Amino acid sequence: MSEAKKRVVLGVSGASGAAIALRVAEILAGLQDIELHLVVSEAATCTFLHEIGPDALDSLIHLGYQHHSIENIGASIASGSFRTAGMIVAPCSMRTLAGIATGLADNLLIRAADVHLKERRPLILLARETPLHLGHLRNMVAVTEMGGTIMPPVPAFYHRPESVADIVEHIARRAIDMLHLSELPLANEWQG
Ligand SMILES: Cc1cc2nc3c(=O)[nH]c(=O)nc-3n(C[C@H](O)[C@H](O)[C@H](O)COP(=O)(O)O)c2cc1C
């Protein structure tokens, strides 16, 4: 890693919203000063296939500076000594949310999220399920209390989206902006 690069971890779990994960990765990969580290759950292979198509997961993985196997609990991103600017989990399933909320770090995605919480670094969870039961909500509270950010991928309409792609774009840019990687926001600002 060059001195100027900031490492960002993108965890992709098996909730609905593969297109959001792909767009977050595309935007981060397009930023010159970012080194993108990817970790993808088993279930996400299914959502990528179902929601986008057979080549989508490969496209995602190729965007990463490094793709870490979810089973590789000894990967760099499993350690707090490996400095990062933050982590986004997009989309974040209720299973992965529960693992993060309880510190049950039995795979690399959850371990990396756990590291971000313990190191007090930004952790943004695009937690996706609806409706939510009390357990989901309690897990969201627990992560919030530990310093994480729950950011469900809920569409906004004030920017007048004309397509699903517009909605995905706005959600992806808002999520990346939560990492405060630069002074200028990626998402369009509301001017009143
Ligand atoms: C097409 C599809 C869509 C899914 N959507 C969701 C979802 O929106 N939210 C969720 O919590 N789980 C969803 N699931 C279920 C998760 O994939 C499942 O709970 C899985 O065990 C999550 O594992 P992971 O957290 O390791 O990715 C979906 C599964 C499939 C196949």
Side-chain angles (χ1 to χ4, degrees), residues 54-98:
D55 301 327
L57 193 63
D58 280 348
S59 306
L60 175 82
I61 286 167
H62 279 115
L63 290 165
Y65 168 83
Q66 203 170 352
H67 166 240
H68 305 271
S69 163
I70 187 106
E71 288 159 15
N72 184 9
I73 211 68
S76 56
I77 58 172
S79 171
S81 65
F82 189 76
R83 300 280 295 273
T84 69
M87 176 171 181
I88 297 174
V89 183
C92 182
S93 74
M94 294 302 102
R95 191 194 97 85
T96 289
L97 169 70

Side-chain angles (χ1 to χ4, degrees), residues 13-16 41 43-44 46-47 50-51 93-96 128-129:
S13 71
S16 188
S41 79
C46 184
T47 52
H50 188 75
E51 295 184 353
S93 74
M94 294 302 102
R95 191 194 97 85
T96 289
R128 198 275 152 202
E129 188 50 277

Side-chain angles (χ1 to χ4, degrees), residues 60-172:
L60 175 82
I61 286 167
H62 279 115
L63 290 165
Y65 168 83
Q66 203 170 352
H67 166 240
H68 305 271
S69 163
I70 187 106
E71 288 159 15
N72 184 9
I73 211 68
S76 56
I77 58 172
S79 171
S81 65
F82 189 76
R83 300 280 295 273
T84 69
M87 176 171 181
I88 297 174
V89 183
C92 182
S93 74
M94 294 302 102
R95 191 194 97 85
T96 289
L97 169 70
I100 296 168
T102 54
L104 195 68
D106 61 351
N107 70 40
L108 180 63
L109 195 165
I110 298 174
R111 169 62 188 170
D114 201 57
V115 164
H116 281 75
L117 290 176
K118 84 181 177 72
E119 300 293 330
R120 309 299 197 266
R121 295 184 200 146
L123 175 67
I124 317 299
L125 306 186
L126 273 66
R128 198 275 152 202
E129 188 50 277
T130 193
L132 299 162
H133 64 55
L134 189 56
H136 299 146
L137 294 165
R138 286 197 171 124
N139 286 334
M140 290 182 189
V141 169
V143 170
T144 304
E145 286 172 342
M146 289 186 277
T149 299
I150 303 294
M151 189 176 192
V154 177
F157 296 96
Y158 57 83
H159 60 104
R160 298 199 179 189
E162 291 179 358
S163 63
V164 174
D166 283 353
I167 291 171
V168 167
E169 188 72 22
H170 190 71
I171 290 169

